[in-house]
Amino acid sequence: MSKLKKHTAHLIAVHQKREAVRVYAVLAHSASAALAQVTEMATDDMQVELTGSLDRDLARRLALKPGEMRLV
């Protein structure tokens, strides 16, 4: 029986000229999947970077669902 992959709430920062940095929490299987999800929605003048992760309890309090992206 294969083990289910756990989701992690990754923090992704989005930088844009003359704007405040926005940080999103994304619940995904991997950091690369979370980065890809935010990069899909970013425009050419935005820079996207992984900044960390949330612990399991905080992710539960935010009621994040797999694949969901929320501004924090």
Side-chain angles (χ1 to χ4, degrees):
M1 185 161 76
S2 64
K3 194 173 184 180
L4 291 175
K5 271 186 131 178
K6 292 185 180 182
H7 288 90
T8 302
H10 299 281
L11 295 174
I12 311 293
V14 178
H15 304 272
Q16 188 175 10
K17 275 188 173 180
R18 299 186 184 125
E19 295 286 332
V21 175
R22 289 172 294 180
V23 179
Y24 293 93
V26 181
L27 196 61
H29 288 297
S30 67
S32 59
L35 274 170
Q37 184 175 344
V38 176
T39 302
E40 273 181 13
M41 301 185 80
T43 60
D44 291 337
D45 64 336
M46 293 179 181
Q47 295 177 348
V48 177
E49 69 175 326
L50 179 69
T51 58
S53 62
L54 296 176
D55 69 355
R56 184 181 68 212
D57 294 333
L58 188 51
R60 283 183 183 162
R61 286 184 195 157
L62 290 173
L64 286 172
K65 295 178 178 73
E68 183 180 2
M69 181 172 73
R70 185 172 301 167
L71 185 64
V72 292

